[in-house]
Amino acid sequence: MDVVTMNIVESTMLSICREMGITMMKTSYSTIFNESLDFSCAIADANGDMIAVADYCPAQIGGMSLLIKTCIREMADQPVHEGDVILHNDPYRGGLHTPEHTFFTPIYVDGELMG
């Protein structure tokens, strides 16, 4: 991949993560979300490796990859379908602390799991 295309893809992925955050702020009733930006938004590939993350709360980014990979490993024998939402809040499996909730949704392209 050439440098220009790589930069365009990177910017697009980052923009998607930022749009996720804007949606969270607009649909949340929590002033903690809206004013202190106490959340993170990211995109991971099908293996759980993070490929893009928005810069809302950097303290939460460190545990995200572990959290995603743990969910993938523990749910390996369960089918994940387009439109599914997975909720996680276990601090012993990658969550930062009990009040934190993480929501995952699979990304499919033409029927293939991409992220």
Side-chain angles (χ1 to χ4, degrees):
M1 182 180 299
D2 65 277
V3 176
V4 173
T5 304
M6 190 169 69
N7 193 8
I8 291 169
V9 170
E10 177 187 24
S11 297
T12 302
M13 294 293 181
L14 181 58
S15 178
I16 291 169
C17 291
R18 287 181 178 151
E19 288 290 328
M20 282 190 256
I22 291 168
T23 300
M24 294 220 6
M25 290 179 349
K26 287 183 176 182
T27 59
S28 164
Y29 292 103
S30 169
T31 54
I32 293 174
F33 268 54
N34 297 327
E35 294 179 14
S36 68
L37 304 177
D38 188 21
F39 62 90
S40 295
C41 298
I43 298 174
D45 65 13
N47 296 320
D49 295 316
M50 284 190 354
I51 56 176
V53 63
D55 49 356
Y56 289 107
C57 184
Q60 297 174 351
I61 296 170
M64 274 187 162
S65 185
L66 172 63
L67 201 147
I68 295 167
K69 288 180 180 188
T70 299
C71 282
I72 290 171
R73 185 175 56 249
E74 290 185 4
M75 296 182 63
D77 61 341
Q78 299 176 19
V80 178
H81 305 286
E82 193 167 357
D84 284 354
V85 177
I86 301 158
L87 170 63
H88 179 283
N89 77 332
D90 187 345
Y92 297 103
R93 290 184 170 87
L96 298 174
H97 55 88
T98 305
E100 302 269 328
H101 290 80
T102 304
F103 296 89
F104 303 98
T105 186
I107 301 168
Y108 284 89
V109 176
D110 296 328
E112 181 183 354
L113 179 64
M114 300 298 286

